[in-house]
């Protein structure tokens, strides 16, 4: 129960931070990406603030023998960069640039009721579902032919 409350409280704090910083406004995000026009550096300031808090607290928290609500820390161990990672990152960035949202601010912005937010979140959920379907098919031995734009140039450079 403590972990559920902590997750909920963290989400509320995150949502409030997104709202106060203006990151739930797609115009802020697209202005940050507009280097040749009316560039808005405020997103960079929010990112630098978040990275600073994370960097400091990560070192403090990792000194603990275990997390507060789990038996062990869950830290990724893979360090390789493969075409799926590059393709997924590119797709995320394209969606972020075109829609002006990344997942956290999009879910937070659902409270606004704007149809563009609802469409974005529905497309995001649809993409997550499609990914699970394709992964499930591959796990059951069904060959799913796909080729990301990144995979062709990655193979050419290898």
């Amino acid at each position: 129960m403590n972990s559920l409350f902590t997750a909920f409280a963290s989400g509320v704090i995150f949502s409030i931070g997104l709202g106060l910083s203006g990151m739930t406004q797609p115009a802020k995000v697209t202005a940050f990406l507009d280097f040749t026009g009316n560039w808005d550096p405020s997103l960079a300031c929010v990112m630098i603030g978040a990275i600073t808090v994370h960097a400091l607290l990560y070192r403090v928290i990792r000194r603990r023998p275990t997390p507060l609500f789990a038996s062990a820390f869950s830290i990724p161990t893979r360090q390789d960069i493969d075409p799926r990672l590059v393709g997924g990152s590119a797709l995320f960035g394209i969606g972020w640039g075109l829609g002006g949202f990344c997942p956290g601010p999009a879910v937070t912005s659902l409270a606004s009721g704007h149809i563009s937010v609802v469409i974005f979140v529905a497309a995001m959920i649809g993409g997550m579902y499609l990914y699970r379907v394709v992964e499930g098919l591959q796990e059951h031995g069904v060959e799913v032919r796909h080729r990301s734009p990144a995979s062709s140039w990655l193979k050419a450079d290898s």
Side-chain angles (χ1 to χ4, degrees), residues 41-130:
S42 60
L43 178 57
C45 295
V46 171
M47 287 182 186
I48 290 167
I51 290 167
T52 302
V53 169
H54 175 268
L56 295 173
L57 289 178
Y58 181 82
R59 295 187 189 286
V60 171
I61 291 169
R62 286 290 292 156
R63 289 187 186 140
R64 298 179 52 83
T66 61
L68 292 176
F69 304 116
S71 59
F73 287 102
S74 177
I75 299 173
T77 56
R78 280 188 66 176
Q79 296 182 354
D80 59 321
I81 297 174
D82 64 357
R84 289 180 60 189
L85 175 65
V86 173
S89 300
L91 187 59
F92 177 89
I94 290 167
W96 186 53
L98 291 175
F101 286 116
C102 64
V107 171
T108 300
S109 296
L110 276 174
S112 72
H114 291 322
I115 190 68
S116 61
V117 178
V118 173
I119 291 170
F120 182 89
V121 171
M124 181 177 72
I125 292 170
M128 290 178 198
Y129 177 75
L130 181 61

Side-chain angles (χ1 to χ4, degrees), residues 31-48:
F32 170 72
L33 299 172
D34 185 9
F35 295 110
T36 60
N38 192 18
W39 185 63
D40 180 0
S42 60
L43 178 57
C45 295
V46 171
M47 287 182 186
I48 290 167

